[in-house]
Amino acid sequence: MSSGRLPFTQSRRPPNDASRSRRAIRRYACPNAQRIPPPRSAVKTIKVCVFAIALLSLATFQGCGSSDPTSVVTMQKVAGTYYRVDINMAGASHYEIGRQYALQIKNNVPGYEARIDSFLQFMIGLMQDAQRHVVPPISPVIAFADLNARAHDLYPNIPQEYQQEIQGMQSVFSYATDRIGDGRLSQNKLLVFELFGDIGRVNSCSASAAFGEGTVSGKTILGRSLEWKAGTNKYISAIHSVLILHNGSKSLVSFNALGGLAAISAFSSNKVFGAALDSEIYEEYPSTKGKRSYMMDLRYALETATSLQDVANYLTGKDYAFNFNIFLADENSAAVFEDNTTEPFSGLRTATSALKLDIPDWDHPTAIATVNCFMLPGSADNCDLWDGNMPRWESFISRYEDELAQGKINIDVMKRITAYPGPKSDGKAVDGAIFRYDEEPALQTIIVDMDSMETWVFFQPEGTPLTQPNYLQVFSGNPF
């Protein structure tokens, strides 16, 4: 639903070489006042007003949830597609916010616990199946207990206020046992779900942006696609969420699965955007002892930053468990923070950064893109470890070359770039698709104008992945 990224690494096909295949799999081992009646003359008017309000609510929101404006947490399902959750962060303690959020979910979203439990079961099953089929097989295969141990390693280094939010949610989702497949949420299962992007890592993603002279407005317009293993949408698509944390200068919009607290894709009231991407190096999953959650740190950085550079500065030098890219944008620019924990190496790649010699040149100084690998000199050479990286990179190069030759980028053009199904129009990453509908289809595709904050999102529905994104306008302007 990270990493990433619903937490969200990719479950890519291991390379053909048996030893490399083994490396690719080993990383998984993740006083109520008295009421006074109104005068009789007012009763009819009151009834009419109540009926009118009900009609207006039905026209605006479709689905269930609380819309009480005095609540700390309000939740509505919009257009039958996603949950909009608004939280007044000044209205209660972080613990109470977490508790109320969990109560809203438990009381208004039938089957939520079973969905999250099934999601975890599905993901663990994928990892186990991969371990059994690698040559030679890995034994014992990964289990929930392994992911739980990783989550508890990271938990102490999560910002205290986020720990308190999790604790509040755990007071509601507190089934006594951790048995996977029982349809219930224990405190440990919830924690694993919250940190899955750091500890499970079965996803891939891409992102790009244009800015400055490259856009009609002169401000940044971006497109980000979160991709997850096919079948995940069976569990997640019914609980897509747009979480709005109303917190003054620290306000944030986060795109996730309902209940998720980490920043997979998010932007702040200070007009700074961040999104997590995997950057796999196909080595054994490292120890998580003393490590940090980069998705929780990304949320903290976005809440406190006033520029993309602030976010990069905050993430630099911290001890994370695994490698990642963070796509960053603000009103004026966009960049990619590359963090290669195993070298160690980190750096901020801009549109004009020098790239490794074997990476095709990026010749668009007013645009930038990222796939699931490191491109700055000094980082691990991992772009050829997954056969989708370079075809997608070359598609970004050609899409921006073609579009910028015709004029400047606006939201509609960014939608078109992000929806590109590849030169063969087959939605396959290995053939250069930016919008994927192969074995790891797009789960959420997000378009944002960082100046106006106009936002469009494609939410993958349940069933067979769609072959083109059906964007919904989530915000017409500033949501804060």
Side-chain angles (χ1 to χ4, degrees), residues 209-222 331-333 364-368 400 403-411 413-414 417:
F211 46 86
E213 291 298 318
T215 64
V216 173
S217 66
K219 301 296 184 178
T220 304
I221 298 174
L222 65 87
E331 285 184 277
N332 301 310
S333 190
H364 310 300
T366 59
I368 195 168
Y400 275 95
E403 296 292 356
L404 288 170
Q406 298 177 51
K408 298 185 177 184
I409 307 296
N410 59 20
I411 278 194
V413 174
M414 185 57 69
I417 291 171

Side-chain angles (χ1 to χ4, degrees), residues 326-348:
I326 300 292
F327 176 75
L328 296 171
D330 55 27
E331 285 184 277
N332 301 310
S333 190
V336 181
F337 179 77
E338 300 185 356
D339 194 278
N340 180 190
T341 62
T342 52
E343 292 298 322
F345 173 91
S346 65
L348 188 64

Side-chain angles (χ1 to χ4, degrees), residues 146-411:
D146 300 306
L147 297 180
N148 188 39
R150 293 177 184 176
H152 279 82
D153 284 344
L154 300 183
Y155 180 76
N157 291 320
I158 294 172
Q160 286 291 320
E161 54 266 45
Y162 306 162
Q163 292 186 34
Q164 292 162 13
E165 291 168 8
I166 293 171
Q167 291 164 10
M169 296 189 73
Q170 288 175 323
S171 72
V172 175
F173 297 118
S174 57
Y175 194 65
T177 63
D178 292 335
R179 187 166 64 86
I180 292 294
D182 63 5
R184 302 300 301 272
L185 266 185
S186 64
Q187 293 182 344
N188 286 332
K189 285 185 189 177
L190 179 70
L191 181 62
V192 167
F193 167 68
E194 295 292 352
L195 295 175
F196 201 87
D198 292 276
I199 62 177
R201 309 184 59 83
V202 187
N203 77 299
S204 59
C205 307
S206 66
S208 72
F211 46 86
E213 291 298 318
T215 64
V216 173
S217 66
K219 301 296 184 178
T220 304
I221 298 174
L222 65 87
R224 183 277 207 275
S225 193
L226 170 69
E227 296 140 7
W228 212 284
K229 187 67 177 177
T232 309
N233 60 319
K234 178 179 179 180
Y235 314 107
I236 299 301
S237 289
I239 53 172
H240 287 297
S241 73
V242 178
L243 174 64
I244 310 175
L245 305 179
H246 299 274
N247 197 21
S249 63
K250 297 170 67 176
S251 297
L252 192 76
V253 168
S254 180
F255 306 90
N256 205 321
L258 194 64
L261 298 173
I264 299 168
S265 309
F267 67 83
S268 71
S269 55
N270 288 319
K271 300 184 178 182
V272 183
F273 180 95
L277 298 90
D278 189 35
S279 188
E280 179 61 86
I281 60 170
Y282 293 96
E283 291 183 359
E284 183 176 359
Y285 194 98
S287 170
T288 48
K289 295 291 185 182
K291 301 299 177 66
R292 302 180 64 88
S293 163
Y294 76 90
M295 288 192 179
M296 289 295 186
D297 274 2
L298 177 58
R299 173 182 162 184
Y300 183 87
L302 290 172
E303 288 178 340
T304 56
T306 59
S307 69
L308 68 83
Q309 185 67 58
D310 289 343
V311 178
N313 291 346
Y314 180 80
L315 297 174
T316 299
K318 291 185 169 57
D319 196 3
Y320 298 111
F322 212 76
N323 306 283
F324 60 87
N325 288 334
I326 300 292
F327 176 75
L328 296 171
D330 55 27
E331 285 184 277
N332 301 310
S333 190
V336 181
F337 179 77
E338 300 185 356
D339 194 278
N340 180 190
T341 62
T342 52
E343 292 298 322
F345 173 91
S346 65
L348 188 64
R349 175 165 62 84
T350 69
T352 57
S353 292
L355 306 180
K356 295 173 183 175
L357 294 178
D358 58 342
I359 304 295
D361 290 339
W362 182 266
D363 295 323
H364 310 300
T366 59
I368 195 168
T370 183
V371 291
N372 297 111
C373 67
F374 299 126
M375 297 190 173
L376 288 174
S379 58
D381 293 326
N382 64 338
C383 286
D384 65 343
L385 297 184
W386 176 49
D387 52 7
N389 277 323
M390 285 300 93
R392 302 185 87 189
W393 176 249
E394 291 169 354
S395 286
F396 275 120
I397 292 173
S398 66
R399 289 304 87 211
Y400 275 95
E401 182 176 291
D402 291 350
E403 296 292 356
L404 288 170
Q406 298 177 51
K408 298 185 177 184
I409 307 296
N410 59 20
I411 278 194

